[in-house]
Amino acid sequence: MKLTKPYISFQEIYAASRILKSGNLTQGKASARFESDICEYVGSKYAFVTSSATTGLHLSLDVLQIGEGDEVIIPDFSFPATANSVIKVGARPICVDIDLKTFCIDPDEIEKNISEKTKAIMPVHAFGLCANMPEIMKIARKHNLRVIEDAACAIGSTINQQHAGTFGDCGVYSFHPRKLITTGEGGAIVTNNDELSKLIGISRSHGGVRAELFFEFIDSGYNFRLSDINSAIGIEQLLKIERIISARKKYAEIYNILFEGNSLLTTPSVPEGYSHTYQSYVVLLSKGVDRNFIIRELKKLDIESTLGTYSISSQPYFKEYSAHKKISVPRSNFAFAQTLTLPLYPGMKRRDVTTVASALLAILDKKYGKTL
Ligand SMILES: *Cc1c(COP(=O)(O)O)cnc(C)c1O
């Protein structure tokens, strides 16, 4: 059984082939439509589709003029793209610890790590659950910091009906196949800020603005556009998002029930008012449980599983970026060692969920018994 499988059917195939037949392949009408659909769905004023979430984060930091000499506070427990986007604009990512209940950045750790160089906070909405945005926005206002939400895993996630990505100066979604909806590769930046929206639009496409006959290049921009082939797929995917979320919630709930009361693992917790989309269903194995052994045993049964995500500061390349500062992130390190992602996708059957849960419980029972 696979960890995940994109929810694609004939509508996406038809939409993509229609673009291919039309001859207009790069960013055009389909992308504009996808952008307005995203705005409508999440309740933002602007959306800009990009070639990935990573390029979306890079572009966001760039237009916010974050660069050389600046620090950006990020959670240590995330996919390295979060840190890489900061590094690639010349700024320094400051990795701080997480809350083990939510796997999201701990607001107290943000406060502790603010320096005179801090320019922005980049919270990550881990696995489809929003970070504590009310607290984070309070801290940002108090210290006059920018907030760029890494909402790569979180299109459709909300706090009291407000969508992930719409709390900060801007937010960035991913449409990689591991996420809720996919365009193959792709991403989108959302913002409510007029000024920012102008800069994003220009920098996304070579720094050019359209004059009467030609472009005029007013800045050194990028090409971070998404093609209309991808956007056409995205339009169809977004129409299915509520179905996708409700299937994921239903299966997560079954896992939660089957794992209830087992002292060897902790199921995802959802704070009051938050809606978890379970982009990944991640359990935390108790201290002493050998997570990698479990992954190998599940693999023998043809069940794919993996770690939750990475401790960024534990990655070999990161040493030179942390050299100036001692990083202490015990909860992120624990999560890096003890999280386990289980198969979850809309195309699964209820029976598949019980098969996975029973297999995991049997492996745990055989190796550790009921007491550890
Ligand atoms: C997937 C992911 C990214 C990168 O998204 P791409 O679209 O593949 O560039 C960035 N941040 C987080 C937290 C992610 O999970």
Side-chain angles (χ1 to χ4, degrees):
M1 197 181 313
K2 302 272 283 177
L3 196 59
T4 188
K5 212 161 128 187
Y7 189 61
I8 301 279
S9 51
F10 68 90
Q11 292 95 341
E12 286 82 358
I13 296 165
Y14 177 71
S17 61
R18 223 178 45 179
I19 300 293
L20 289 168
K21 282 178 195 156
S22 80
N24 300 318
L25 307 189
T26 186
Q27 195 158 87
K29 284 191 184 124
S31 296
R33 162 81 195 282
F34 187 30
E35 289 172 343
S36 67
D37 290 354
I38 292 168
C39 287
E40 191 179 334
Y41 177 65
V42 305
S44 69
K45 194 164 174 188
Y46 303 102
F48 294 90
V49 290
T50 53
S51 51
S52 69
T54 305
T55 54
L57 290 169
H58 187 137
L59 185 54
S60 302
L61 288 159
D62 192 54
V63 298
L64 284 165
Q65 297 188 319
I66 291 162
E68 212 68 53
D70 298 334
E71 292 182 353
V72 178
I73 296 180
I74 65 168
D76 185 62
F77 189 55
S78 183
F79 190 70
T82 310
N84 295 349
S85 62
V86 176
I87 291 168
K88 292 302 183 196
V89 296
R92 196 185 277 281
I94 304 296
C95 295
V96 311
D97 216 351
I98 54 161
D99 174 351
L100 268 185
K101 279 213 188 74
T102 62
F103 299 124
C104 292
I105 197 164
D106 179 344
D108 292 339
E109 297 293 326
I110 298 176
E111 287 254 42
K112 277 190 223 162
N113 283 280
I114 290 172
S115 76
E116 61 286 2
K117 291 185 180 163
T118 308
K119 280 282 158 58
I121 308 168
M122 197 192 274
V124 175
H125 306 306
F127 313 132
L129 178 72
C130 283
N132 187 344
M133 291 313 296
E135 276 306 310
I136 292 167
M137 293 313 295
K138 241 186 257 171
I139 295 167
R141 279 191 289 268
K142 185 170 143 197
H143 298 274
N144 194 25
L145 303 175
R146 298 295 202 160
V147 176
I148 301 115
E149 295 173 62
D150 180 344
C153 302
I155 187 161
S157 305
T158 57
I159 306 175
N160 299 323
Q161 326 301 330
Q162 185 176 348
H163 276 262
T166 66
F167 293 86
D169 294 279
C170 59
V172 182
Y173 306 119
S174 171
F175 306 126
H176 179 275
R178 270 290 303 271
K179 321 295 177 171
L180 243 59
I181 61 169
T182 186
T183 59
E185 297 281 359
I189 307 172
V190 291
T191 183
N192 292 325
N193 183 315
D194 301 335
E195 195 54 40
L196 217 52
S197 76
K198 285 195 196 95
L199 297 172
I200 293 169
I202 293 165
S203 281
R204 177 177 59 173
S205 195
H206 306 293
V209 289
R210 199 177 271 286
E212 189 210 340
L213 294 176
F214 316 111
F215 277 94
E216 192 171 42
F217 294 90
I218 62 167
D219 198 4
S220 62
Y222 305 98
N223 176 357
F224 284 167
R225 295 184 307 256
L226 188 68
S227 85
D228 262 19
I229 307 168
N230 305 87
S231 288
I233 297 170
I235 292 166
E236 299 301 326
Q237 286 273 286
L238 195 58
L239 288 170
K240 299 176 177 173
I241 196 166
E242 287 308 323
R243 240 181 299 161
I244 291 170
I245 292 172
S246 77
R248 300 192 85 96
K249 281 187 175 169
K250 183 177 77 183
Y251 290 147
E253 198 48 47
I254 298 173
Y255 273 136
N256 288 344
I257 290 166
L258 295 170
F259 293 144
E260 205 176 312
N262 192 298
S263 63
L264 298 176
L265 59 84
T266 309
T267 56
S269 73
V270 185
E272 182 75 31
Y274 286 56
S275 171
H276 199 323
T277 62
Y278 301 99
Q279 176 269 329
S280 291
Y281 183 84
V282 178
V283 297
L284 184 65
L285 299 169
S286 302
K287 193 169 168 225
V289 174
D290 181 349
R291 191 263 323 272
N292 295 353
F293 168 80
I294 308 277
I295 292 176
R296 285 187 206 106
E297 290 299 303
L298 286 170
K299 196 172 173 196
K300 287 182 196 163
L301 301 170
D302 207 24
I303 297 170
E304 190 184 8
S305 64
T306 190
L307 82 180
T309 192
Y310 297 85
S311 159
I312 293 173
S313 64
S314 304
Q315 297 310 303
Y317 86 99
F318 204 78
K319 300 266 180 303
E320 68 179 283
Y321 299 101
S322 47
H324 78 301
K325 200 164 181 173
K326 197 168 157 353
I327 294 178
S328 168
V329 285
R331 297 190 293 278
S332 172
N333 291 332
F334 186 73
F336 178 40
Q338 297 303 104
T339 44
L340 177 69
T341 307
L342 295 174
L344 184 76
Y345 52 91
M348 271 177 110
K349 300 279 177 286
R350 186 180 279 262
R351 182 165 27 94
D352 298 327
V353 182
T354 53
T355 301
V356 174
S358 314
L360 174 58
L361 291 171
I363 293 163
L364 285 170
D365 197 39
K366 183 156 171 243
K367 182 142 173 98
Y368 302 102
K370 296 259 186 265
T371 53
L372 183 83

